[in-house]
Amino acid sequence: MYTVLVIGAGGREHTIAWIISRSKSLKKLYCMPGNPGTSSVSENVSINISDHDEVIKFCKEKSIDLIVIGPEQPLVDGLSDLLRKSGFKVFGPDSDAAMIEASKSFAKDIMFKAGVPTAGYKEFDSGQFEAASDYLKTVNYPVVIKADGLAAGKGVIICEKFEQAGEALIQIFVDRVFGESGSKLIIEDFLVGEEASIFAVTDGKDFLLLPSSQDHKRIGDGDTGKNTGGMGAYSPAPIVNAEILNIVAEKIIKPTLNQLKIEGKNFIGCLYAGLMIKDNNVNVVEFNCRFGDPETQAVLPLIDGDFLKLLYSAASGKLDKSSVSFSSAASVCVVAASEGYPDVYRKGIEITGIENITEDIVIFHAGTKQIGAQIFTDGGRVLGVTAISEVGDLKAAKKKAYSAISKIHFDGIYYRKDIADKALEH
Ligand code: AMP
Ligand code: GLY
């Protein structure tokens, strides 16, 4: 029986806490800092997660058996390293392995050395403005320019023409719109196809692929408008068939973990592969060093068994894949956002109707705040409403999710109406 701490405060962390709270091997669950959703399945702890000394002190006081770190920033900042050095078991990579998300050029280098299929690229640092500009005169368009470092999902610019690419270069190298994250950039070939996400839970060597999923990154229906953190997801993604799953396991995850190991970087946690798929050809668009948000809200509800045991075994260096199994269910998660997101939006608006939802729906809190018994909006992405069809009927899951979300109200509520439509076309 384990005492567990989940670190983070978003919809992903609510989902992780929710599934751990159902695990047979759980003794006690804390969430730091958590949100009003996690408080219904765990005890929230109001410690600032960037105060690493305080986090370690808490873990010692409560004899925490496993720490699950949700977001990328604490991983990149080295929270796992510190906790491991203090003797704790952690699900989440050390900072040197988290580089696979924190540096695009590092990730590309690993992929090329390991022979993992990905778009061709060249990298430039801010001293090489002229060379980058000359290179852009020789490439095919569209071309993709990516700031090297973390940029909250905004560091990727798809350029249709040379003029636009030149502007992107100025924004990144001269105007420094991504700050230090743009002190280096990569120029990458444009890939065509359909995107999907796969999570590999790993102890650094062995791994288990969780059900596939697909995110909806744009704000508007039909994939229009600005990029967001993700407006909804469904799982599994029919485009990820058995052949593709096999390629992901053998040609992507296995060689990547192996290459990381060769370079002395042991990746323990969730290796997230963002894929571009066309005619059974797969390329890696990006790796992340943690579970995706909102894909997690769609994927984890499809997992039976003891998810905590799976994470604990990974963190212990001996993955026990038999801890879990996957049901043949399908899920759809629709994100309710604040009007104006991903630009400016208001906060502190009362949310009503959550209590009316009684069907087999799970409401994951992402950006909410509780005052007394009332729940208020507190972010751009507010709630993730996940519906499940036990018989694997995505259409039925979609219908249930939209029926549920229509009962939730707050001033300025916005959500996409077409989550999962791409899957239904297949
Ligand atoms: P990333 O942060 O690397 O996942 O990129 C964000 C989004 O930009 C991806 O989800 C894709 O939709 C798009 N993207 C990134 N790289 C490429 C590429 N090489 N070709 C086409 N689209 C891309
Ligand atoms: N849903 C995309 C991400 O988590 O990065």
Side-chain angles (χ1 to χ4, degrees):
M1 300 289 279
Y2 307 121
T3 301
V4 181
L5 171 66
V6 172
I7 290 190
R12 165 184 47 212
E13 288 75 27
H14 183 186
T15 316
I16 294 169
W18 170 82
I19 191 167
I20 288 178
S21 76
R22 299 153 70 104
S23 289
K24 286 206 178 68
S25 54
L26 179 70
K27 185 155 83 187
K28 167 85 187 170
L29 179 60
Y30 297 96
C31 223
M32 186 188 286
N35 67 32
T38 62
S39 72
S40 67
V41 292
S42 70
E43 185 178 329
N44 283 353
V45 183
S46 64
I47 286 176
N48 178 352
I49 61 169
S50 30
D51 189 342
H52 293 175
D53 290 341
E54 281 297 311
V55 177
I56 289 171
K57 196 167 139 224
F58 175 85
C59 293
K60 283 186 179 156
E61 264 167 29
K62 301 293 182 187
S63 304
I64 301 289
D65 297 303
L66 175 71
I67 299 129
V68 182
I69 301 183
E72 61 277 15
Q73 196 66 55
L75 295 167
V76 172
D77 291 346
L79 183 55
S80 282
D81 311 47
L82 281 177
L83 286 164
R84 279 202 186 93
K85 276 193 200 117
S86 306
F88 293 104
K89 291 201 166 58
V90 187
F91 186 84
D94 280 351
S95 55
D96 60 357
M99 286 280 283
I100 198 135
E101 173 166 1
S103 166
K104 307 260 185 208
S105 84
F106 174 81
K108 286 298 226 185
D109 185 52
I110 291 280
M111 284 189 261
F112 271 83
K113 284 186 197 150
V116 170
T118 187
Y121 78 111
K122 269 203 165 13
E123 68 176 72
F124 299 92
D125 62 41
S126 53
Q128 295 175 292
F129 183 95
E130 287 303 324
S133 183
D134 287 345
Y135 178 66
L136 285 170
K137 287 174 193 145
T138 68
V139 299
N140 292 325
Y141 286 82
V143 77
V144 186
I145 302 189
K146 299 182 175 183
D148 185 59
L150 291 183
K154 299 196 181 93
V156 174
I157 307 172
I158 295 173
C159 307
E160 300 294 334
K161 289 195 185 99
F162 172 75
E163 291 69 37
Q164 200 188 347
E167 266 166 43
L169 215 55
I170 292 172
Q171 280 180 358
I172 296 174
F173 278 164
V174 182
D175 301 342
R176 291 293 181 139
V177 291
F178 303 119
E180 264 306 294
S181 288
S183 56
K184 201 194 265 185
L185 56 75
I186 66 168
I187 300 175
E188 185 177 278
D189 301 340
F190 181 77
L191 296 166
V192 280
E194 195 176 327
E195 286 181 76
S197 310
I198 291 270
F199 303 156
V201 168
T202 177
D203 59 10
K205 204 168 77 214
D206 202 4
F207 61 90
L208 178 70
L209 299 186
L210 302 188
S212 60
S213 57
Q214 193 175 58
D215 188 7
H216 295 63
K217 288 195 168 119
R218 306 288 203 93
I219 188 72
D221 286 358
D223 294 333
T224 52
K226 288 200 167 160
N227 255 327
T228 69
M231 294 300 294
Y234 61 87
S235 175
I239 190 160
V240 183
N241 56 31
E243 189 178 330
I244 290 183
L245 269 179
N246 187 50
I247 298 174
V248 172
E250 297 302 320
K251 303 250 158 67
I252 294 175
I253 302 294
K254 197 185 272 182
T256 300
L257 291 174
N258 191 42
Q259 188 62 37
L260 283 165
K261 238 189 155 65
I262 289 170
E263 306 200 4
K265 299 170 172 78
N266 195 27
F267 190 106
I268 294 174
C270 172
L271 181 61
Y272 162 136
L275 309 171
M276 188 73 84
I277 302 167
K278 181 149 172 65
D279 306 328
N280 275 1
N281 264 317
V282 191
N283 276 290
V284 175
V285 174
E286 63 166 343
F287 278 123
N288 290 322
C289 64
R290 35 84 196 168
F291 290 106
D293 190 335
E295 293 99 314
T296 301
Q297 289 86 312
V299 172
L300 298 198
L302 306 185
I303 296 174
D304 293 329
D306 195 328
F307 194 65
L308 166 54
K309 222 169 134 194
L310 179 75
L311 301 190
Y312 186 85
S313 70
S316 308
K318 206 166 182 336
L319 190 68
D320 177 5
K321 293 190 239 185
S322 68
S323 330
V324 294
S325 60
F326 308 137
S327 70
S328 51
S331 65
V332 173
C333 171
V334 182
V335 170
S338 304
E339 182 179 15
Y341 175 77
D343 297 322
V344 261
Y345 53 82
R346 288 196 297 148
K347 284 187 189 176
I349 301 163
E350 190 176 353
I351 305 169
T352 56
I354 297 183
E355 65 288 351
N356 299 339
I357 290 157
T358 49
E359 310 106 287
D360 45 347
I361 297 281
V362 211
I363 311 268
F364 295 116
H365 290 236
T368 66
K369 189 170 60 186
Q370 184 159 5
I371 302 173
Q374 251 90 50
I375 308 282
F376 297 87
T377 67
D378 196 37
R381 292 189 296 164
V382 178
L383 298 166
V385 177
T386 298
I388 292 138
S389 158
E390 292 299 341
V391 293
D393 182 348
L394 262 181
K395 199 169 167 187
K398 178 187 170 186
K399 201 164 158 213
K400 270 200 246 182
Y402 278 104
S403 157
I405 206 168
S406 72
K407 296 181 188 138
I408 297 172
H409 303 285
F410 56 86
D411 200 18
I413 186 171
Y414 168 80
Y415 49 88
R416 274 180 65 162
K417 308 292 185 295
D418 64 342
I419 304 300
D421 281 1
K422 244 188 230 157
L424 299 173
E425 285 161 20
H426 280 281

